[in-house]
Amino acid sequence: MPDLTEEEYDALDEQWTNNPPKVSGDGKSGFFMQHRNEIVILDDLSSTWLRTKAEVEHITPTEIIGALVRKEIVQTV
């Protein structure tokens, strides 16, 4: 994932501040996904594991999630 410029960071910060994601579930944890959007909110354990695995393997969290989904699909077929 590329580093953001200061201007990009400010724009992203303003976007998230003015349009916070809606969280489903019990109000304490859950996830939100919008069609063609890659916004996912996870509990602390899942978030930490995903971030650590991505750093160690030098891939994005999206790539890890995609691999996990494909693995689950294969196992259920």
Side-chain angles (χ1 to χ4, degrees):
M1 182 178 218
D3 290 333
L4 298 176
T5 65
E6 193 66 32
E7 292 81 19
E8 291 170 327
Y9 175 81
D10 289 340
L12 183 60
D13 180 53
E14 186 167 334
Q15 173 70 20
W16 278 91
T17 300
N18 295 329
N19 303 292
K22 295 177 182 157
V23 179
S24 64
D26 60 9
K28 298 176 185 173
S29 63
F31 67 93
F32 169 78
M33 293 181 66
Q34 185 177 9
H35 183 68
R36 299 281 179 197
N37 219 344
E38 294 184 19
I39 298 172
V40 178
I41 298 173
L42 303 168
D43 60 84
D44 287 341
L45 177 64
S46 300
S47 176
T48 301
W49 178 84
L50 187 59
R51 186 174 50 253
T52 302
K53 186 166 179 67
E55 289 174 5
V56 167
E57 295 188 12
H58 304 290
I59 58 177
T60 66
T62 301
E63 291 171 303
I64 294 169
I65 293 169
L68 290 171
V69 169
R70 286 186 290 280
K71 181 179 176 183
E72 184 68 22
I73 290 170
V74 168
Q75 289 177 352
T76 59
V77 174

